[in-house]
Amino acid sequence: MMLVFDIILMGVIVWIALGSLSPRGVYKSVVMFVVFGLFMALGWVRLGAPDVALAEAAIGAGVTGVILLDAAGHLRQRTPGPILERHVRRGVAPLPLLASVIVFFVLALLVVNLPAEADGLAPLMTAGAEDSGIKNVVTAVLLDFRGYDTLLEIAVLMLATVAVFSLRDAPDILGRRLAGFAGPLLDSFTRIVTPFMLVIAGHLVWIGSSEPGGAFQAGAVLGAAGILLALSGFASPRWAGRRVVRLSLTMGLLVFIAIALYPLFLGGTLLQYPDETRKTLILAMETWLTLSIGASLVSLFIASASPGPDGGVA
Amino acid sequence: MNHYLVYGLGGALIFSIGVYGMLARPHLLHKVVAANLMGSGVFLILIGLGNRVQGRPDPVPQAMVLTGIVVTVALTALGLAIVKRYYTVTGLTTLDDDPPETDA
């Protein structure tokens, strides 16, 4: 019975993926892509990955959707009215189709030929997670067993933010109002929702050690709250230039590096936390990571966001 | 047929849809969306295959995908920033040498 559900869900996801590449206008693509992210989140729940589902809904659908929408709006500044692509190819391009069919069959062969049963690393990780006192195994993998990945990832996020800042169109964009939709409805919506979002972010990072949740999901909610504040005009984009924001942008990486180096002084190796302080260190790291990821997501949006049509000074 | 196969094969299909979009769609925004689709395909295969174990699914691919999702949003933001800058400088939304759509 559940298999039928899986097949239907996967069919819908594939159908939406096809729709997100529809040549009939970029806006349709972007909206379809957001819907795609939400259905993917359903798929993650079915695959027993609630942590990934939370991140996908908040980051994959939410933040990515917002920056894609903003870019779609930016790309039609000089072309008012519906985008009529000159290069609309309604038919199917034969060579790319051939390439993608070949890619599909190679991947499908690999997937089908793997043994249907595998030992996996779950028992090993669960045992290790019990020792470290972090009950959510995914969090334990992220910050303890595979700390390297997360360390490099936060570095990637920070570098991307710096790069986006340096690519922005107008150097004075930070002093401008965003192309928001400020109005009474959004105004009161923001007033009601933002406090809840902050509480949810705090909750997610706190329960992250034992239940689905953690720095990534909390950071995503925090970032979404920041983007909402910027769009509704409560927070000036100029904030992205403030020292507080820049500090929280970099602190995640710096604290992570400091904590990664700490065991070296105790005679251990990099990222090999001593058992007695492990949980404290991981929680401290998660808190800073949350702030850093949140600040990065807001900055990624604000740095590249288009200024309002009036170009007004906020 | 196991349910990991449904998601594994679905992931392969979505990855190849992304490949098609990347090659066949001229609009740069479509290419960014296609790159995202390719990423999602990889994630589906990873977590789908992590479901082959008895009992609880393998947490390691899940952690890798979490990392991947955050890296993907960084990639998307950087890609879009480049696309917007390119548009500001050239007025084009594709990589072709043709004049912008408005002149058509």
Side-chain angles (χ1 to χ4, degrees):
Chain A
M1 186 55 217
M2 278 322 266
L3 192 65
V4 177
F5 176 78
D6 288 329
I7 292 173
I8 294 175
L9 178 63
M10 207 56 239
V12 172
I13 291 178
V14 168
W15 181 59
I16 299 171
L18 283 171
S20 72
L21 291 173
S22 151
R24 271 181 286 159
V26 174
Y27 268 111
K28 191 192 165 193
S29 295
V30 173
V31 172
M32 287 300 257
F33 184 73
V34 173
V35 179
F36 173 81
L38 294 176
F39 274 90
M40 284 288 283
L42 263 183
W44 298 136
V45 175
R46 267 299 291 146
L47 285 167
D51 293 276
V52 182
L54 281 171
E56 177 82 47
I59 306 183
V63 178
T64 308
V66 169
I67 52 177
L68 273 170
L69 270 177
D70 175 71
H74 181 91
L75 293 191
R76 56 193 287 181
Q77 270 177 0
R78 293 193 208 164
T79 48
I83 296 178
L84 296 170
E85 277 190 54
R86 259 155 52 81
H87 311 281
V88 171
R89 293 167 195 159
R90 297 233 177 245
V92 177
L95 271 180
L97 184 69
L98 183 70
S100 86
V101 168
I102 291 173
V103 166
F104 171 72
F105 276 109
V106 171
L107 282 176
L109 264 180
L110 288 174
V111 170
V112 172
N113 279 329
L114 281 170
E117 296 274 322
D119 290 339
L121 295 166
L124 197 65
M125 293 295 150
T126 315
E130 268 164 25
D131 291 344
S132 67
I134 303 288
K135 285 200 211 85
N136 180 359
V137 190
V138 177
T139 303
V141 174
L142 274 174
L143 294 171
D144 198 347
F145 313 136
R146 297 285 317 164
Y148 272 116
D149 295 347
T150 312
L151 179 61
L152 291 176
E153 173 216 334
I154 193 74
V156 165
L157 197 59
M158 207 193 75
L159 285 177
T161 312
V162 173
V164 170
F165 259 109
S166 58
L167 272 169
R168 66 178 188 265
D169 274 342
D172 62 333
I173 196 165
L174 293 183
R176 289 174 171 201
R177 201 179 301 138
L178 297 179
F181 319 94
L185 198 63
L186 184 64
D187 197 274
S188 36
F189 176 75
T190 311
R191 279 173 204 276
I192 295 169
V193 163
T194 312
F196 283 109
M197 290 175 94
L198 295 181
V199 172
I200 289 172
H203 177 71
L204 277 174
V205 72
W206 179 247
I207 64 161
S209 59
S210 52
E211 314 258 339
F216 294 85
Q217 296 85 347
V221 174
L222 205 61
I227 290 175
L228 187 63
L229 284 177
L231 271 180
S232 57
F234 276 101
S236 154
R238 213 174 263 167
W239 282 21
R242 289 228 176 132
R243 207 168 286 161
V244 184
V245 178
R246 302 221 159 159
L247 211 59
S248 33
L249 205 63
T250 45
M251 277 312 272
L253 184 60
L254 292 181
V255 169
F256 206 141
I257 291 176
I259 291 180
L261 291 177
Y262 167 66
L264 288 180
F265 296 102
L266 303 175
T269 58
L270 200 67
L271 287 163
Q272 187 192 39
Y273 317 126
D275 280 337
E276 57 275 19
T277 47
R278 180 176 293 184
K279 197 176 178 185
T280 320
L281 286 179
I282 288 179
L283 266 179
M285 211 148 67
E286 274 212 284
T287 311
W288 282 106
L289 276 180
T290 305
L291 282 177
S292 221
I293 292 173
S296 294
L297 292 177
V298 180
S299 306
L300 278 177
F301 172 71
I302 287 179
S304 68
S306 317
D310 53 347
V313 174
Chain B
M1 191 161 176
N2 294 312
H3 86 295
Y4 86 86
L5 268 182
V6 177
Y7 290 96
L9 290 177
L13 194 55
I14 287 175
F15 184 87
S16 45
I17 291 173
V19 169
Y20 177 80
M22 187 65 97
L23 295 174
R25 291 276 177 258
H27 200 289
L28 288 171
L29 224 55
H30 275 141
K31 290 195 193 288
V32 174
V33 170
N36 271 282
L37 288 181
M38 288 167 72
S40 297
V42 174
F43 299 158
L44 269 174
I45 295 176
L46 271 176
I47 291 190
L49 293 181
N51 267 256
R52 289 179 301 150
V53 295
Q54 292 290 323
R56 63 181 304 167
D58 200 333
V60 179
Q62 295 189 13
M64 285 162 69
V65 167
L66 262 179
T67 312
I69 288 177
V70 177
V71 172
T72 305
V73 75
L75 170 111
T76 309
L78 183 56
L80 289 175
I82 295 173
V83 168
K84 282 153 90 174
R85 189 91 187 116
Y86 174 78
Y87 175 76
T88 312
V89 174
T90 64
L92 297 176
T93 54
T94 65
L95 288 177
D96 302 334
D97 284 334
D98 297 320
E101 292 110 31
T102 36
D103 299 346

